Structures are given as C-alpha cells and as structure tokens.
Amino acid sequence: MKKFMDRDFMLNSETAVRLYENYAKDMPICDYHCHLSPKAMYEDKQFKNVAEILLGGDHYKWRYMRSCGVDEEYITGGKKWREKFEAFCACLQYAIGNPLYHWTHLELSRYFNINETVTAERAGSIYSAANKYIEDTGMSPSYLINNSNVAYVCTTDDPVDDLKYHKKIAEKGHIKAKVLPAFRPDAAINIEKSSFAPYIKRLSKAAGTEIKSFKDVVAALYLRIEYFHAAGCRVSDHALDKVPAFGGSAKKAFKKAIAGMPVSREDTEAYKAELLCALAAKYAEKGWVMQLHMSAMRNNNSVMFKKLGPDTGFDSIYDGEIAQNLSRLLDTMNENGALPKTILYTLNPKDNYVLGTMLGNFQSAGVKGRLQFGSGWWFNDQRDGMEAQLRALANLGALPNFVGMLTDSRSFLSYTRHEYFRRILCNLIGGWVENGEFPDDEKTLEKIVKDICFENAEKYFGFNK
C-alpha cells in the first residue's frame, strides 16, 4: 500500500517518477488564463488568515460544502473565517474521490508546510498553524506567485478596463512573473442581456468613439485591442456557452438591442457570429491567440443568482451540439484569411473527440499546433477529465505540441494544479513507455514533457518576445 500523497503521489511507475522528478517538477509555470485580480496583485496585502485564501472566491469548494448540507452562512455568509474553515474541514474529511481532497492537501503542504491529514478534529490546529505561517512569511499575492515559479500570468480583463493595475504592477516590480492582460469582450458580444445597451455606452467612452451601429462596435473594439496590445496583451478569451450560427442580421440585432426592443434568436446568433469573425481578423493581424470556452450552462439557480450574483457555484455543463456551428465559424474565419491561433475548450467531455478532430481541419504549415485542444477545464480539471483530454488529443492529433495546463482560477493557491496536471501527464506517458507502447528514449521523453509543461506555451503565445 502506498503512503497517502507521498513523493510519488499519482506516479505509478518508475518511468513516471523519473519523468516527473527530472523534467516536469521544476519547470516554470505559464498561467495563460486565470481570474486573479490585478488590483489584489498590485496592492499585495498580507492575507488575514488561511480561510480567506483557501475559501474566498473558490466556488469549487463552495459547491462541495453545499453538497454536504452546510448552511450558506458558513460558505458565503457572515460566519467568521475560522467557523467557515472548520465547516469546510469537516466536509473535506470525507471527500474521497473528489479532486478537492488532493488540491487542498497540496495547497496546505506546498504553501503552509502543513502535511497533516485534514479532519474536523484537526481543523483548529491547522487553522492556527497556517495563520502563524502567514504571519511569519508575510504571505501576500506576490509571495505566493514568486514562490510558485510562475513566469507568466494572464488575467481576464474587459475591453473597457484601463489596465492601470497591470502598469502599476510592472512599475512596482514586486512580482517576478510578467503579469499581462487578456481581452475578454463577452459584454460586447452578449447582446441578449439587459446589460448590453448600458455597456455599449461604457465601451464608447473607453474607446473615445461614438457607437451607433454594428460597424461602430467593431471599430471600438479594434481600438481597445490596440490599447491592450500596447499593454502586452497577446491573448483573448470568449465564453461561448453555445456556439452561435450565421443566418440572421447583425445590423438589425444591434439596432433593436440599443432601442430596448426584443431581438430574435436568429439575429442574436448572427450578431455574435459576425462579431467573433471580425474580432478574429484583428487577433490574427496582431498575432494574438483566441480562446473559445464552450458548453457551460450558467446561473442555473435563479434564487441564488439574485442573492450572490454570477460565478458563485451554480453553473453546470451544457449538453447541446457544437460541431456544425463551430465548423462554420472557424471555416468562415479561415476563408477570410483571418483564423488566428486558437484554443478550443469544451466543458462537456462528450465533445472531446469533436474538438480533437476539428483541430485537424484547420492546422497549417509553419505553426505547430495552430489550433489547440485546451486542457480539461472547470469540471474536467481532475484526473479523469485531464486523462480523457490528453488521450483524445494523443489519439487524434499531436500531443507533443500541446500548450498544457492553466489555472482558470480566482485563487492564488491554485498553482498546485500545475503540479497535479504534471503528475497526471507523467504518469500517462510513463505508462505508455512501461507498456512498450513508446520507446524509453530519454532525450525524446524529456523534450515532450518539458514542452507540454512550459516551452510550448511560451513559444505559442510569444510572451517572451
């Protein structure tokens, strides 16, 4: 029997251990998509207590606590941090099979030097020991980033953002990693929402141009792309919960939405599809990477949405079809000579082979892995989800060109998920070697592992240029 989470945790062969220890473990981290706060990074305040870092904003943990019947007062409510931490530990003690069990123990071990097994009885002593460690080290966002071997961090930023905190972070110089913005224009794309018309006014002000038509929206976003590019941005991100179809009228959709009139489904989708194509052309011109996150079904619990707002743990997987609309979208961009480097993510693992085969339709000479199948995302960033994504990519494409893991997190402790991913990666590759399915060629294996862990992402995004 293996010891719980020992040095060889999740590494089930000698080859897996060798690959992880020699090549994966100490590679830098390129966190090309996250939801960390630039303001928090700049202000760099010392954390008050371990619960604030461990539970604050972490909707993975909130969902689990709700599943255990914990009162919302101990999750997002007014209970004291110690009480919230104790409630979480009491639940986590029984989280067998849930990745939160491993993530939390990795977080406590790697950042607080606490290697005790979490139980309800130990919650108090763990809380005290972790808080003392915070005090002794002056633990802050910069401390956690600098001690995680992070080379690049890409936040998620609205086109109207002035990016002042990114500039201040660079000037302050307290974070070793490059902290770069990422362009997230969802508010300008989601024309069906009541917030659309007010947002267009904000976009108009930020871009310094009047917006009266669909063409004006494109022009304003182009101006903001130039602004973001000057600030070091090289990547965009889009939440395409449902992939839109062509067919309606983008111009008509904009006019109706601005006037406060209902917009048909066909026109709504046409607006989204045409705007995505227009943005893709600009991304391609600037050499950016476009990320498309698909198949999320958000804010399902209307009662809790009204109480807590979005991104609080009430989202799930959308089960609709994506292949035809995605193919049309990418093909239109390609016909226009304006398909940028693109990463496709699906929240529904049923579509792993849809994306795995879609990549091959639009790869091109001169760019290794121009289209990428993104890492197991959100509900899939656990062992089964990651392995399924890696196997699908290996079966259908070129796994050695994969740009690897990202955190997609609001927590400064989430860099341990790169360790989790790297252990899974090395175990999978090690298993193929041990089974005689791939040669034990050290030089080749070293390159594959290092490339997937870091090198591919750095080259693909061009952050080092």
Side-chain angles (χ1 to χ4, degrees):
M1 179 185 294
K2 284 189 173 184
K3 185 180 177 182
F4 171 64
M5 290 188 71
D6 63 3
R7 190 189 72 135
D8 298 339
F9 169 60
M10 300 183 87
L11 303 171
N12 297 322
S13 68
E14 291 182 5
T15 304
V17 171
R18 187 178 82 242
L19 295 178
Y20 177 74
E21 292 291 337
N22 292 349
Y23 308 126
K25 181 180 178 183
D26 296 322
M27 291 297 290
I29 288 172
C30 179
D31 192 18
Y32 53 87
H33 174 61
C34 75
H35 296 276
L36 296 176
S37 164
K39 181 181 179 182
M41 282 189 258
Y42 167 69
E43 293 177 345
D44 203 34
K45 295 177 182 178
Q46 180 177 312
F47 294 108
K48 297 173 184 176
N49 59 70
V50 64
E52 176 194 22
I53 317 173
L54 203 73
L55 300 176
D58 195 332
H59 53 78
Y60 290 87
K61 291 166 183 167
W62 296 351
R63 283 174 68 95
Y64 179 72
M65 292 174 75
R66 291 178 187 127
S67 295
C68 293
V70 175
D71 190 281
E72 195 67 30
E73 279 295 297
Y74 291 87
I75 302 171
T76 60
K79 291 294 183 180
K80 294 179 180 179
W81 280 117
R82 184 185 182 105
E83 294 173 306
K84 292 180 179 182
F85 186 78
E86 290 173 346
F88 174 67
C89 290
C91 295
L92 191 75
Q93 179 174 350
Y94 301 100
I96 188 169
N98 191 310
L100 278 175
Y101 195 80
H102 294 152
W103 293 348
T104 304
H105 282 89
L106 284 173
E107 289 164 353
L108 290 172
S109 176
R110 301 300 182 259
Y111 293 117
F112 300 94
N113 201 29
I114 293 173
N115 295 298
E116 292 183 79
T117 304
V118 175
T119 63
E121 291 74 21
R122 294 192 183 114
S125 62
I126 291 173
Y127 186 80
S128 298
N131 288 346
K132 184 177 186 305
Y133 201 86
I134 291 171
E135 192 66 34
D136 291 346
T137 61
M139 188 179 290
S140 65
S142 69
Y143 173 91
L144 293 174
I145 295 171
N146 292 340
N147 283 277
S148 299
N149 197 20
V150 182
Y152 306 100
V153 179
C154 289
T155 56
T156 300
D157 308 282
D158 192 280
V160 303
D161 198 308
D162 61 11
L163 306 181
K164 66 181 179 181
Y165 289 111
H166 294 83
K167 298 169 187 175
K168 288 183 176 183
I169 289 167
E171 291 167 358
K172 191 174 182 179
H174 61 304
I175 294 177
K176 297 175 185 177
K178 278 189 177 181
V179 180
L180 304 170
F183 193 73
R184 178 76 172 249
D186 290 355
I189 292 176
N190 293 333
I191 194 169
E192 76 281 9
K193 294 192 174 182
S194 59
S195 57
F196 177 77
Y199 177 80
I200 291 299
K201 292 181 181 179
R202 293 178 61 205
L203 178 60
S204 176
K205 183 178 179 180
T209 184
E210 194 171 13
I211 300 176
K212 291 186 175 181
S213 66
F214 173 75
K215 185 178 178 180
D216 292 339
V217 175
V218 174
L221 289 171
Y222 277 13
L223 288 170
R224 298 309 294 166
I225 288 172
E226 293 290 351
Y227 181 85
F228 271 59
H229 189 83
C233 180
R234 298 295 181 268
V235 59
S236 72
D237 182 53
H238 301 265
L240 294 190
D241 299 341
K242 300 177 183 179
V243 183
F246 294 95
S249 169
K251 295 178 182 178
K252 186 189 297 184
F254 178 81
K255 287 183 179 179
K256 286 188 174 182
I258 287 298
M261 299 170 62
V263 182
S264 70
R265 181 181 62 81
E266 291 79 8
D267 289 345
T268 295
E269 292 201 26
Y271 173 87
K272 292 184 176 185
E274 290 184 33
L275 184 52
L276 281 166
C277 287
L279 290 171
K282 191 66 171 178
Y283 301 154
E285 175 193 315
K286 305 302 291 185
W288 284 18
V289 174
M290 178 174 69
Q291 298 178 98
L292 303 179
H293 284 83
M294 295 168 279
S295 299
M297 190 162 67
R298 302 174 190 270
N299 306 319
N300 295 274
N301 188 326
S302 57
V303 172
M304 295 306 289
F305 176 71
K306 291 174 184 176
K307 181 178 180 181
L308 300 176
D311 306 316
T312 51
F314 300 96
D315 308 315
S316 55
I317 295 172
Y318 173 65
D319 61 353
E321 296 180 356
I322 66 171
Q324 185 171 351
N325 288 353
L326 179 60
S327 175
R328 181 81 191 282
L329 189 68
L330 296 175
D331 190 47
T332 300
M333 294 173 184
N334 195 52
E335 282 187 320
N336 295 337
L339 177 60
K341 289 183 287 187
T342 301
I343 306 178
L344 305 174
Y345 305 83
T346 179
L347 197 55
N348 197 328
K350 78 174 178 61
D351 292 322
N352 281 356
Y353 274 63
V354 171
L355 297 195
T357 53
M358 190 70 69
L359 304 180
N361 298 330
F362 300 101
Q363 303 292 18
S364 62
V367 183
K368 284 187 176 181
R370 177 192 185 191
L371 263 70
Q372 292 274 337
F373 180 10
S375 180
W377 163 51
W378 200 344
F379 298 119
N380 298 312
D381 59 358
Q382 27 76 11
R383 178 165 52 191
D384 290 349
M386 289 181 187
E387 284 189 353
Q389 183 270 345
L390 289 166
R391 290 180 186 277
L393 179 53
N395 275 319
L396 302 169
L399 178 61
N401 296 332
F402 179 38
V403 293
M405 183 60 177
L406 65 158
T407 62
D408 189 28
S409 175
R410 291 166 175 79
S411 170
F412 286 98
L413 299 178
S414 290
Y415 293 113
T416 50
R417 294 184 195 174
H418 284 262
E419 175 183 342
Y420 186 76
F421 166 81
R422 290 172 182 184
R423 288 178 178 273
I424 291 167
L425 173 71
C426 291
N427 189 61
L428 185 63
I429 294 175
W432 287 332
V433 173
E434 294 270 341
N435 290 333
E437 298 173 43
F438 195 85
D440 191 10
D441 178 336
E442 198 72 9
K443 188 175 180 180
T444 298
L445 292 171
E446 176 184 358
K447 179 171 173 52
I448 290 172
V449 170
K450 285 185 174 181
D451 281 354
I452 294 173
C453 288
F454 176 75
E455 303 288 355
N456 286 341
E458 186 179 50
K459 293 173 186 174
Y460 185 75
F461 292 98
F463 294 144
N464 60 338
K465 295 178 182 178

